[in-house]
Each structure stands twice: as C-alpha cells, then as structure tokens.
Amino acid sequence: MSPVAALRRIAFLLERGREDTYKVKAFRTAAAAILPIPEDEVRRRAAEGTLTELSGVGASTAKVITEAARGEVPQRLQDTERVHGGPLTEAGAGERLRSRLRGDLHSHSDWSDGGSPIEEMAFTAIELGHDYLVLTDHSPRLTVANGLSAARLERQLGVVDAVNDHLAGHGFTLLKGIEVDILDDGSLDQTDEMLAKLELRVASVHSKLKMDKDQMTRRMVTAVSTTRMNVLGHCTGRLVTGNRGTRPGSQFDARKVFEACAEHGVAVEINSRPERRDPPTKLLELARDVGCLFSIDSDAHAPGQLDFLVLGCERAEAAGIEEERIINTWPRDRLLAWANR
C-alpha cells in the first residue's frame, strides 16, 4: 500500500467510525500534501526523517508515511482497521441488498457542511463500487450548513462536469443534485430554474421540526404533490444517538404523506446514518404497505460515511421491501429517466 493510500484508508476508517473531524483531517491533509510529490522523493524524505518539513505533514502522519514507504503496513492503520474495519452489521445482515445497490442519492461535500472535496467523495464512491453518486449539498436557507445560493450551485455544476471529464472511462458518474429545504408553506428553497438543471432532487425538512401536526402534514404533502422533488429525505428529522444528542421526530399524518409520495412517484428515503434510522420502523412498514418507492442513502458528510449504506439495507431487508422498489438498485439511465419524467 502506498503512503497516500495508507493515509486515505486511515481517514476513511475514522470517518466510518464517526470519529471527530479533527482526528481525520490530519491524515487527509498529509495525503494531499504528498500526492504531487514523486514517490522516490517521498521515500528519500522518509529515510532521512525530513517528512515533517513538508507543510501538512506532522509527526504521526510522517510515521505512517515512513512505514508505508518501507513496504510495511503502518501500525496506525493496523490499529484503526482493528477498531473500525469490521462489519457494520451482524451476520452479514444487509449485505445481499447492498451488493445490488448501484449508487447513493444523498451526499455532501465541503461546499456545504461536508468535510471533503467533491473529487474525494467521487473517488471513494468508485472504490466502494458505485456506478453513480448524487452530490446533494444544502440549499441557501440552511445557513448553518453553508447552503448553496443559486450562483454557488451554478458554479458547482461546472465542477461536477470537470470531475466527470476527469473520471471518464471509470464506469462512474457523479450526478448533479441537491438536498433542498422544504419551506414552511411546502415550497422548495431553490429556484425552479435551478432545480430543472439538476438530475435528482432530495427534499427535506430542516426547520420548525416541532410544527403542529396538521401544519407539518400540509407542508410535506404540498411539497410532495406540487414540486420537482424526487426523494423525501429523513422524513421525521429525528436523532436517536450521536454527538448531537437525541431529538424526537416531527409529528405528521404519515399515511397522508406516504400516500402522496406513492401517487406522485416520490421515493421515501431510508436514511442510513446510525444517528437517524429514519423513518422509524413503524413508518417504514407503513410506507411499504402504502406502496411507496424507496431510496437507501448514506447522507454521507465524509467519504468514509459512504459505507453506511449497508445499515439502511439491513433495515430494508428486515422490513421485506422488494429490491425493485428501491430506486438506487436501478441503472443510471432508468433512474434519471424516472427523476426527470
């Protein structure tokens, strides 16, 4: 394993284990620092002990680079594999369905509140075997997450084109998307002109989660019935664990919302983040019985979190949801034809 690969693998595993961002940053920064440097120079610096003279390389990352440059598996990598490299589910639960997923429809980059550049998210998706990844950074109203204005989103679309040009021939496509806020009245937090330029649109409620049940129902049904949205993201907004604490889910008439989703061809997201597990099991089963389509998404804010998909697959398998109803088992062209019908 090359030094760059070793550093990236450690960062990936730390993200997969939901370690604090500051623990991850050092390894990704060091990988970026040595990436453009010829391998023989990296080996020379490792032998001379001068790696820390490079901006972005500290003592701990220099040790990883030095061990990898000698052809060894770095001790830090071995330790991190032992702690975070094992299966995320027990007894292979979710693995069969995970093998059938062709991509992920909900991911974030450092353009909004993600931790890594767009290209790093794409590279990792390729390494995980994805055919496609939809980039869904936040919309402008979510200022706490550095949501994208129409102008910033327009610029991002050009970056996505450049990434796809660079990755041509890999059998992978980075798709243009958004996680757009559902506003109080059920409208979406982006211009219709910009939404029309995208290939897939996840829409979620992020504000006034304690809204009155009837009002929240109208808000969600309006969005599902009258807008360009394709996927209803983390429908209750709940948090069940994690460093942000816990939060009860929003109250709404789930049957009415899911019936609207089924009628208008909007998929219900099975959010794979361990702290969300959204929808709750009873609502997931209700959406199944109503006849909804589903999307199993990582909602990744870092490359290592793209591996969360198996957790959503475990829940879908337990609920008995048929593979054909899960839209990210579909080939890219079928997915895009459905999303832009």
Side-chain angles (χ1 to χ4, degrees):
M1 181 176 286
S2 72
V4 170
L7 292 164
R8 289 183 68 244
R9 178 64 179 170
I10 292 169
F12 173 90
L13 290 168
L14 291 172
E15 292 162 346
R16 189 175 186 262
R18 294 186 293 156
E19 294 281 0
D20 290 337
T21 301
Y22 76 89
K23 294 182 179 180
V24 178
K25 188 175 180 180
F27 296 96
R28 292 212 178 275
T29 299
I34 67 170
L35 181 62
I37 299 175
E39 291 184 12
D40 57 349
E41 182 179 343
V42 172
R43 288 193 295 269
R44 177 182 62 78
R45 283 184 172 274
E48 294 174 352
T50 61
L51 285 166
T52 55
E53 295 177 1
L54 298 171
S55 177
V57 178
S60 60
T61 52
K63 184 177 180 182
V64 170
I65 296 167
T66 298
E67 291 170 351
R70 291 200 298 252
E72 303 169 7
V73 178
Q75 186 61 49
R76 181 61 183 269
L77 177 55
Q78 294 180 52
D79 295 343
T80 310
E81 287 279 8
R82 184 172 60 254
V83 175
H84 295 306
L88 292 173
T89 61
E90 295 184 7
E95 291 290 352
R96 182 201 60 78
L97 180 54
R98 171 65 186 90
S99 71
R100 305 297 296 168
L101 296 189
R102 296 173 181 262
D104 190 338
L105 309 187
H106 188 170
S107 68
H108 299 273
S109 76
D110 60 3
W111 280 59
S112 63
D113 63 342
S116 288
I118 293 170
E119 59 270 22
E120 185 66 29
M121 298 297 289
F123 296 155
T124 302
I126 292 171
E127 292 163 357
L128 292 174
H130 289 13
D131 293 342
Y132 49 80
L133 174 70
V134 186
L135 179 63
T136 55
D137 278 319
H138 289 286
S139 60
R141 181 69 65 91
L142 203 62
T143 55
V144 69
N146 194 28
L148 275 63
S149 65
R152 290 182 64 217
L153 180 56
E154 186 77 61
R155 291 197 298 273
Q156 186 183 78
L157 301 188
V159 174
V160 172
D161 285 335
V163 170
N164 281 326
D165 288 344
H166 179 75
L167 295 175
H170 284 78
F172 170 86
T173 308
L174 184 64
L175 298 176
K176 299 170 182 176
I178 191 172
E179 184 183 14
V180 60
D181 271 27
I182 298 174
L183 301 178
D184 297 1
D185 62 356
S187 62
L188 300 185
D189 181 34
Q190 189 49 272
T191 67
D192 198 60
E193 178 185 9
M194 282 305 306
L195 293 173
K197 294 182 179 182
L198 304 177
E199 291 168 298
L200 190 137
R201 307 143 201 94
V202 177
S204 308
V205 173
H206 286 107
S207 62
K208 297 186 180 178
L209 296 177
K210 295 181 180 180
M211 180 179 279
D212 172 80
K213 180 177 179 178
D214 289 342
Q215 290 180 311
M216 183 65 81
T217 302
R218 285 195 296 273
R219 177 184 185 180
M220 297 173 75
V221 169
T222 298
V224 167
S225 306
T226 65
T227 73
R228 289 181 179 271
M229 68 184 286
N230 303 121
V231 177
L232 174 61
H234 48 69
C235 64
T236 75
R238 73 173 187 169
L239 296 173
V240 297
T241 186
N243 57 16
R244 289 193 288 169
T246 61
R247 179 174 68 208
S250 297
Q251 297 299 305
F252 54 90
D253 186 328
R255 179 172 290 277
K256 285 185 178 179
V257 171
F258 294 152
E259 285 177 347
C261 287
E263 179 182 354
H264 295 278
V266 171
V268 174
E269 178 182 72
I270 302 175
N271 190 290
S272 300
R273 295 194 67 87
E275 68 267 33
R276 287 195 181 275
R277 290 179 59 84
D278 204 358
T281 299
K282 287 185 178 180
L283 295 193
L284 179 59
E285 293 172 346
L286 175 61
R288 173 202 64 197
D289 294 344
V290 165
C292 293
L293 296 171
F294 295 91
S295 175
I296 300 175
D297 297 328
S298 69
D299 192 0
H301 287 64
Q305 296 172 5
L306 289 168
D307 218 15
F308 286 166
L309 285 178
V310 70
L311 299 171
C313 291
E314 177 185 33
R315 299 193 67 220
E317 285 186 354
I321 295 171
E322 301 94 331
E323 178 183 316
E324 178 62 18
R325 291 169 64 182
I326 300 168
I327 62 174
N328 48 328
T329 66
W330 299 352
R332 181 195 64 182
D333 289 349
R334 179 183 176 188
L335 175 72
L336 293 182
W338 168 83
N340 298 284
R341 60 197 184 281

